[in-house]
Amino acid sequence: MSPRSRLSAEARRRQIVDSAIEVIAHEGFGAATFARIARRAGLSSTGLISYHFADKAALMREVVARVFGKAFDHIRPRMDAQASPSAVLHEFIVASVEFYAAHPHDIVALSAVRGNLRQPDGRLEFGPEIHEPELVQLQQFMRDAQRAGEMTRFDTRVAAVSLRAALDGAAREVSRPDHTDPARYGQELARLFAAATGQKAEPP
Amino acid sequence: MSPRSRLSAEARRRQIVDSAIEVIAHEGFGAATFARIARRAGLSSTGLISYHFADKAALMREVVARVFGKAFDHIRPRMDAQASPSAVLHEFIVASVEFYAAHPHDIVALSAVRGNLRQPDGRLEFGPEIHEPELVQLQQFMRDAQRAGEMTRFDTRVAAVSLRAALDGAAREVSRPDHTDPARYGQELARLFAAATGQKAEPP
Amino acid sequence: MSPRSRLSAEARRRQIVDSAIEVIAHEGFGAATFARIARRAGLSSTGLISYHFADKAALMREVVARVFGKAFDHIRPRMDAQASPSAVLHEFIVASVEFYAAHPHDIVALSAVRGNLRQPDGRLEFGPEIHEPELVQLQQFMRDAQRAGEMTRFDTRVAAVSLRAALDGAAREVSRPDHTDPARYGQELARLFAAATGQKAEPP
Amino acid sequence: MSPRSRLSAEARRRQIVDSAIEVIAHEGFGAATFARIARRAGLSSTGLISYHFADKAALMREVVARVFGKAFDHIRPRMDAQASPSAVLHEFIVASVEFYAAHPHDIVALSAVRGNLRQPDGRLEFGPEIHEPELVQLQQFMRDAQRAGEMTRFDTRVAAVSLRAALDGAAREVSRPDHTDPARYGQELARLFAAATGQKAEPP
DNA sequence: GATGAATGAGGTTTCATTCAT
DNA sequence: CATGAATGAAACCTCATTCAT
């Protein structure tokens, strides 16, 4: 037989999560079986996945944690470097679209797991409430910008939900094989958002 | 025994599609097995589903067609009654949000099937290209509005994708059990869109 | 392929329970897998067992119910035909040993399931309390016999437990391939019991 | 980290056998997997069990040997100290019940292994023939007692089998959590046996 | 049209055991 | 001696689909 390859538990877990992301992105959540994940990772059997993850849901939660962590690491420092609330939101949009273009598989897999992974009782593991912290923070930045006179008055809940959704749309759009310029898409979306929120001037 | 109900083929197909929508909405795409659909429909055997639909994909395509048709019937006449391009888009937004609030299960099922149903080769049955006709038409209305001086200059592709996505976000938002006023949400989203596209005045 | 054989649900369930009994008796509880039961029954797949029984525990409970029912049908009428409490107990012993000799597989399977089948939490499905009703009744017959002067004084609990156990021992003994005369074994055991309980005379 | 304990091979084997006994007694033969045994023993890997025992059957045989040895050490000297055959049997009964009450886990594990452990060909590793030496010896004591006039005439085979079985019943009975007085149970069982075998007087 | 038993593939998970370190 | 990652078989169960009635 082929020689046994021995990895540290951490390295093997990473490899399995990566394979899971690729299978989900290429073949869909429903096709992400242990057999297909193992084959893509070159594992000798699905038993190895069960050895490293308590069950399938645990693997899927790891997929979410991994992608979320990667995105956070890319976007958060860029936001922290901004001076004004409106600049923070501008950077959030631009950096997000950049990340989506750079990691399309991760984003596809993330939303597939979020939309499909369920608890034994049938409820979504990551229901709509998973978005709340992000929405709350977006609304806070918007209110800060309004108070600072950078933005006009509008319903921050509707705006935050719409911005979050528009970014999801951007992820799909810049993942298309023929798409050429994600940076331009990000700039244009940020401009649209600035206009919608009544900003006086572009951030630098 | 309760008398076996013998329905016309068309009525039976409708009943099965309705049950499929409910199962998908309540328990998710992955749980939408023939067994569960048949149980919810009160059928005595999954064989009846196979009798009326060539295979599972055919049933799922019917789910999409049904929901899409219902939404079209609700929204299209309202758009057709408008005089100006910007008014058409305003009505599109408002009527869409109304429909989502009135038929949350249909919308959840629709997006679940769109995101998960695949062809035997693994490609999505309803890939991103399924949105193209709608996006093309939205862009056309936007360009008409720009030409008519109702809207300022902007990238209609980005705007159309973002509007479509914002409506998807609205569907999730107004489906939440504690959500109270979808009409207000639709108005506010339309206002936001008007501001983003530089409209001078609200449609009547 | 081989022609599909179609049985009524009831007949198929009986056939599967019978095969389960044989597998358990010949190869042990641990070897009583769906695959082996299906093979012995000539089924095309283990799926058929799952179709007819909710899960493995349900099949095993049916095994117990079946054997218990058979034994009850054999022994109970014989006991009911007796006039005195001591005669009832005598007949109980003799008829039981007869049944064990006639249906050795059933008895082996019964005690294998009783000793091994567990609930999900690890507790025995048929714990020691399953014997209580029988023990209580045996004690009642003994007390009646004591009151009628047919038996001397003794601890009815110890006697009932020991009698029940001695019958289990008899089941093993008369199941041995070289065993010749179960009727004699039953008579001798009844005689031993009569002596232990101080009976004055043999029942007719 | 806690310091890895490095035990002598013999001590380690004892520890593993002890854990196996506890797992079998608490969770049943079917649940006695290497994983569960290792966890209860605090071992970091099931590999250690494979290292110390040729295979699972070898471990189980050790379980039997251990418990059997313990029981033998407790009961045999008490029997050897008796003067008459009937006194030997009396002491056998009393000492056995005492041991069962003192070591209920061992007894449960012993009978679980005896009833379930099988050779590769499916035959019981410890079949009914395992009882033969004991039965033969019990019969010998009974015949000696008969010859000495201490007991009346009866079928020693039936009596030996029944006594052995009654002791098994006693083991279950005195293991029940609410059982209070095993000594009394032993005395009463011995009395019952004495009556069954026509003994004139109690041993001292 | 409808029923429900049968099929066979494929799902996750657990198991005893091996072996490089 | 001990560790723990890897292996491959086999377990139970669910699935979409077929087909005799």
Side-chain angles (χ1 to χ4, degrees), chain A residues 161-175:
Chain A
V161 168
S162 298
L163 173 56
R164 178 62 267 168
L167 285 169
D168 294 339
R172 283 191 298 273
E173 186 73 3
V174 301
S175 295

Side-chain angles (χ1 to χ4, degrees), chain C residues 150-163:
Chain C
E150 295 172 0
M151 291 182 179
T152 184
R153 294 284 143 196
F154 53 88
D155 183 316
T156 59
R157 177 76 189 176
V158 175
V161 168
S162 298
L163 173 56

Side-chain angles (χ1 to χ4, degrees), chain C residues 5-7 12 44-45 51-52:
Chain C
S5 84
R6 280 177 76 86
L7 269 57
R12 187 64 88 189
S44 65
S45 95
Y51 177 76
H52 285 286

Side-chain angles (χ1 to χ4, degrees), chain B residues 4 44-45 52:
Chain B
R4 295 267 180 275
S44 60
S45 161
H52 284 287

